[in-house]
Amino acid sequence: MLKKELAGARGQRREMLERDLSATKKMLEVIYPVLGKLEGIVLEYEMVALSGVKIYGDAFHRALNTVFEEENFITHAETITRKRFSFERARARSVGVFGHTYFPYSRDELEQQPDICRRDLHELMVVHANVEGMGILELPVYEREVLRFALLRDKPFGLGELSGCLKLTPTACGKITKTLVVKGLLSKVGGGERRCFEFRITEAGVSMFNRRHSGRSLGRFN
């Protein structure tokens, strides 16, 4: 894979590829079981930041439109200068402006919690697969109504409020919201890993209402 990347690289990107990439290799080894293949991955992905300077992502996955980063605590946090810290924040903003998902892993996570690293990537892939090309009218009716409620409310809501509006039990509402969280259309607010207190609509959820897969009006939540 590296030989193929080097063959088509020039200038600064080639220099980046000729450096020690053992950390990037470790990252790819950890996430490979989830990806299943390395096809479509670009090493030392070159971008031009908003400031005009060239920046590089450790690995870019074309299909997921995601920049993966391996970050060592010592070199990315403990010993960096304030100027470098600010540069890293600006770099992350540039990646966002390009429309890419920024997906960093710490070296400690890769070495000590590889299962969690793979779990998080799996969740990203689930969201990407479920939302890609999907419009609001393609969702089950109750999922549509939950999103419509969340959009019009425009602030966090609990299962009790949702239950009152949909005339469903809190248990039923909990199952629907859980599905929408997995799809990336709702996000959890407060609570812990096993239980959350409230939910709110995500940007992906809002964008569902802007996709025109049908000429019918979406109406209003009553």
Side-chain angles (χ1 to χ4, degrees), residues 147-178:
L147 288 182
R148 210 186 311 271
F149 169 79
L151 180 70
L152 295 175
R153 184 173 177 77
D154 196 30
K155 63 180 180 179
F157 61 90
L159 292 179
E161 298 162 278
L162 186 60
S163 174
C165 284
L166 296 185
K167 308 304 179 187
L168 294 174
T169 66
T171 299
C173 291
K175 291 180 180 179
I176 299 170
T177 54
K178 183 178 180 180

Side-chain angles (χ1 to χ4, degrees), residues 69-85:
E69 290 276 301
E70 183 278 341
E71 298 184 349
N72 186 316
F73 175 75
I74 295 176
T75 57
H76 283 79
E78 190 174 48
T79 61
I80 64 173
T81 63
R82 287 179 176 272
K83 184 176 181 180
R84 180 66 189 184
F85 182 82

Side-chain angles (χ1 to χ4, degrees), residues 4-104:
K4 182 179 179 180
E5 293 288 305
L6 281 167
R10 298 290 183 274
Q12 189 175 350
R13 179 169 179 260
R14 185 178 182 88
E15 293 177 11
M16 299 291 288
L17 287 168
E18 290 175 338
R19 296 165 57 185
D20 179 14
L21 298 182
S22 58
T24 300
K25 181 180 178 182
K26 173 65 177 177
M27 177 179 67
L28 293 178
E29 287 175 349
V30 169
I31 64 178
Y32 176 77
V34 181
L35 295 175
K37 58 183 179 180
L38 297 180
E39 182 181 348
I41 288 182
V42 180
L43 299 178
E44 296 301 328
Y45 182 65
E46 186 174 276
M47 299 165 279
V48 178
L50 298 175
S51 63
V53 302
K54 290 183 179 180
I55 56 176
Y56 296 84
D58 290 344
F60 176 67
H61 194 288
R62 293 188 184 278
L64 293 175
N65 193 30
T66 298
V67 175
F68 293 101
E69 290 276 301
E70 183 278 341
E71 298 184 349
N72 186 316
F73 175 75
I74 295 176
T75 57
H76 283 79
E78 190 174 48
T79 61
I80 64 173
T81 63
R82 287 179 176 272
K83 184 176 181 180
R84 180 66 189 184
F85 182 82
S86 295
F87 173 80
E88 292 290 345
R89 307 286 79 71
R91 178 176 175 275
R93 291 197 299 273
S94 293
V95 173
V97 169
F98 299 149
H100 304 319
T101 298
Y102 185 62
F103 216 72

